[in-house]
Amino acid sequence: MSKNIKKIGVMTSGGDAPGMNAAIRSVVRTCAYYNIECVGIYRGFEGIMEGDFRSMDARSVKGIVNKGGTVLKSARSKEFRTPEGRKIAHDQLKSANVDALVVIGGDGTFNGGLVFNKEYDFPIIGIPCTIDNDIFGTTHTIGFDTALNTVVDCIDKIRDTASSHNRLFFVEVMGRDVGHIALNAGVGAGAEEILIPEENLGLDRLLESLHRSKRSGKSSSIVVVAEGDKIGKNVFELKDYVEANMDEYDVRVSVLGHMQRGGSPSCFDRVLASRMGVKAVETLLEGKTNYMVGLLNEKMELTHLREAVKGKSKIDRELLRVSEIMTT
Ligand code: F6P
């Protein structure tokens, strides 16, 4: 066990995601377990520069395992991107005797951590937490599973209206540049078509597919559209396009938006966050730095932060094939 680490700072940065609090709780409780001091850093890198630190013990994180959002708050910091900002951050950490950081967030957070480590040789471990599931080195990021359940629940409800009124719905889901949410939730909710950036279906094939599903006897349809999809039209333009080319459907659009990021985390995300928090602190105590903890083949594994931010999390080709068969 590293004798150099006596105090660990934990922070959340970037977009919040359900399970962030469970991850904070796990880091704090693991520190308490190993008799390491822990400080919560408020508002991410912004809070480091302002020295917004509060001591946390096992009891400070009671009652948050089931809460969405982040009790430590989150922010995007422009100043931390400058060398001057990072110098201020380093001075603040040193004057508070913080020896290492656990950063909870996505690739922007990890990039910030890497630059900081390079300049100041400051020990850092990352915990992947974003609904997008776009991080290399883990099959699941914290928050992804909860977001999927939220999306499936919303689509189930939308389907009630779609089938009652014989409508076609375009449902836009989040995911930034990747289609993990769209593909998984689309399969889970039984969507008739799923549009993701990794596979450009094209407008002609979309129309073809909608005609086919009409001919096969379907009176309503749900098309799940990833926000990063590259078909060349946004959901509202898609609606206009389909209405102009098909009389058979009454078309509506539903953009699910930030409701996908909120809410109580699923059991899967709570367990994942608990495992990742323990692994993050134990990795620091083993004297390692610049790793991200991840879930690979059911086990907690480490991936270098450089690989995590550089690599692309690939869409599951097998699931894509399943979705093609299911939408027949
Ligand atoms: O990264 C999480 C995410 O919710 C993306 O899915 C989405 O594109 C983005 O954040 C939205 O960011 P903001 O909350 O800043 O609008």
Side-chain angles (χ1 to χ4, degrees):
M1 193 162 127
S2 170
K3 294 209 167 45
N4 301 330
I5 295 184
K6 299 192 176 65
K7 196 189 251 191
I8 291 176
V10 58
M11 57 169 252
T12 52
S13 175
D16 63 294
M20 257 183 176
N21 282 327
I24 296 167
R25 171 181 179 266
S26 173
V27 170
V28 171
R29 294 229 165 131
T30 310
C31 286
Y33 179 83
Y34 286 108
N35 287 318
I36 305 285
E37 270 187 79
C38 187
V39 287
I41 299 166
Y42 283 72
R43 291 170 302 108
F45 293 119
E46 197 73 25
I48 302 188
M49 290 182 298
E50 288 173 18
D52 196 356
F53 307 151
R54 291 177 223 175
S55 214
M56 294 183 102
D57 62 19
R59 295 286 74 75
S60 335
V61 286
K62 68 177 189 304
I64 65 169
V65 73
N66 57 335
K67 300 272 191 293
T70 162
V71 293
L72 291 179
K73 315 272 181 189
S74 192
R76 292 188 172 110
S77 171
K78 278 206 185 108
E79 203 187 346
F80 189 79
R81 295 205 193 117
T82 66
E84 296 76 26
R86 292 192 290 275
K87 160 95 176 59
I88 296 170
H90 186 249
D91 291 346
Q92 291 283 15
L93 289 169
K94 280 288 129 191
S95 69
N97 297 318
V98 177
D99 304 310
L101 283 177
V102 175
V103 295
I104 304 172
D107 54 0
T109 309
F110 298 161
N111 268 319
L114 271 174
V115 177
F116 192 61
N117 172 272
K118 197 165 167 209
E119 286 174 352
Y120 294 101
D121 196 21
F122 203 88
I124 293 203
I125 294 292
I127 296 183
C129 193
T130 158
I131 60 165
D132 302 333
N133 204 36
D134 58 348
I135 309 281
F136 178 79
T138 187
T139 53
H140 290 75
T141 53
I142 300 167
F144 175 54
D145 181 70
T146 307
L148 289 182
N149 286 307
T150 302
V151 172
V152 165
D153 187 40
C154 291
I155 297 178
D156 285 350
K157 291 182 169 124
I158 289 170
R159 192 178 284 288
D160 289 345
T161 300
S163 61
S164 304
H165 290 266
N166 291 352
R167 279 180 183 167
L168 163 63
F169 267 88
F170 285 106
V171 181
E172 186 190 276
V173 301
M174 280 186 167
R176 212 177 279 273
D177 306 319
V178 296
H180 294 292
I181 296 180
L183 179 61
N184 284 270
V187 170
E192 276 66 36
E193 200 52 79
I194 302 166
L195 306 184
I196 56 173
E198 291 83 350
E199 291 278 303
N200 189 353
L201 184 70
L203 290 168
D204 291 345
R205 278 183 51 207
L206 173 64
L207 279 188
E208 226 176 84
S209 152
L210 293 174
H211 277 300
R212 205 176 35 245
S213 90
K214 196 80 191 170
R215 278 197 306 273
S216 76
K218 286 188 183 173
S219 53
S220 65
S221 276
I222 305 277
V223 179
V224 176
V225 186
E227 64 174 342
D229 180 57
K230 297 194 167 63
I231 201 160
K233 293 190 185 296
N234 67 35
V235 271
F236 297 99
E237 292 164 343
L238 278 177
K239 169 188 186 298
D240 293 343
Y241 179 80
V242 169
E243 276 181 336
N245 288 281
M246 279 183 91
D247 320 317
E248 299 96 313
Y249 283 116
D250 188 16
V251 190
R252 293 290 186 276
V253 168
S254 183
V255 177
L256 298 188
H258 286 81
M259 72 169 73
Q260 294 161 92
R261 262 189 16 207
S264 181
S266 64
C267 180
F268 180 90
D269 277 332
R270 297 182 199 192
V271 173
L272 182 64
S274 304
R275 291 175 74 185
M276 285 182 168
V278 170
K279 182 73 175 175
V281 172
E282 289 182 342
T283 302
L284 279 174
L285 296 183
E286 283 164 17
K288 295 182 186 146
T289 179
N290 286 6
Y291 285 100
M292 181 196 82
V293 300
L295 181 70
L296 293 172
N297 297 320
E298 316 289 325
K299 292 207 167 60
M300 285 293 106
E301 302 285 356
L302 300 177
T303 297
H304 199 281
L305 278 177
R306 216 181 307 111
E307 306 302 318
V309 295
K310 220 173 49 195
K312 280 242 172 290
S313 71
K314 299 235 164 51
I315 208 82
D316 182 345
R317 306 308 299 185
E318 192 253 344
L319 186 58
L320 201 57
R321 207 175 71 78
V322 169
S323 89
E324 277 159 20
I325 296 172
M326 290 304 108
T327 53
T328 307

